[in-house]
Amino acid sequence: MSASQDIKFRFNPSSDRSSKVLGPLEDDIMEVVWQQGSATVSAVHKELRSKKDIAYTTVMTTMSRLAKKHLLNQDTTNSSYVYTPTLSRGDFERYVVKGVVNGLFDDFGDGFIDYFIEAVRQRGDGTLEKLKAAVD
């Protein structure tokens, strides 16, 4: 992915999982598109309507915004636009983690490293050993 096509996101640590970087509707839409591999607005709307009341135009606008954020590719060659994810869910998660960690490291340097090490020590679930093995 080129620098001009970086995915745009904000990190909200108080939200759940991918909602930390996506709005709730964006998260719901991405879940549907990741599951289907590619989807039209109509298909996503139909899936979301099975769970909540939502306008077609709201889904269409949000999918267009996700394309502008470089999270979805928008194929406009047919009368119904077909959207595909630019990254798999796993690649998206790695992209977000990389961006957050690099941002924390750049902004807080040693403070970030000190806290990270302390947090890993406190986990007590083998994470410290895994980190030590990765460093060695």
Side-chain angles (χ1 to χ4, degrees):
M1 184 167 298
S2 71
S4 65
Q5 289 190 337
D6 282 346
I7 294 172
K8 295 166 179 56
F9 69 88
R10 292 178 190 241
F11 184 71
N12 179 357
S14 64
S15 294
D16 293 332
R17 202 126 171 100
S18 58
S19 290
K20 287 184 187 307
V21 295
L22 300 173
L25 180 56
E26 291 176 329
D27 188 40
D28 291 345
I29 289 170
M30 289 304 299
E31 289 297 326
V32 172
V33 178
W34 277 323
Q35 287 173 1
Q36 295 184 3
S38 66
T40 62
V41 172
S42 181
V44 172
H45 179 250
K46 181 179 178 183
E47 180 69 25
L48 294 178
R49 286 280 308 216
S50 70
K51 298 172 187 159
K52 61 183 164 187
D53 187 29
I54 187 164
Y56 179 89
T57 54
T58 302
V59 175
M60 180 177 62
T61 300
T62 304
M63 290 180 76
S64 179
R65 286 183 182 151
L66 287 166
K68 287 178 184 172
K69 290 180 178 183
H70 305 290
L71 285 162
L72 292 176
N73 288 316
Q74 185 182 54
D75 180 354
T76 60
T77 57
N78 297 316
S79 59
S80 293
Y81 293 178
V82 177
Y83 292 85
T84 55
T86 58
L87 298 170
S88 68
R89 182 193 322 258
D91 287 343
F92 172 72
E93 290 173 358
R94 283 185 287 284
Y95 182 88
V96 170
V97 168
K98 178 182 173 184
V100 170
V101 169
N102 285 342
L104 290 169
F105 188 72
D106 291 346
D107 291 346
F108 301 104
D110 289 342
F112 167 67
I113 292 171
D114 293 343
Y115 179 77
F116 179 79
I117 291 169
E118 184 59 33
V120 168
R121 277 191 185 122
Q122 290 177 2
R123 289 187 62 93
D125 62 356
T127 304
L128 181 59
E129 290 72 24
K130 185 177 177 182
L131 180 61
K132 284 179 182 177
V135 170
D136 291 340

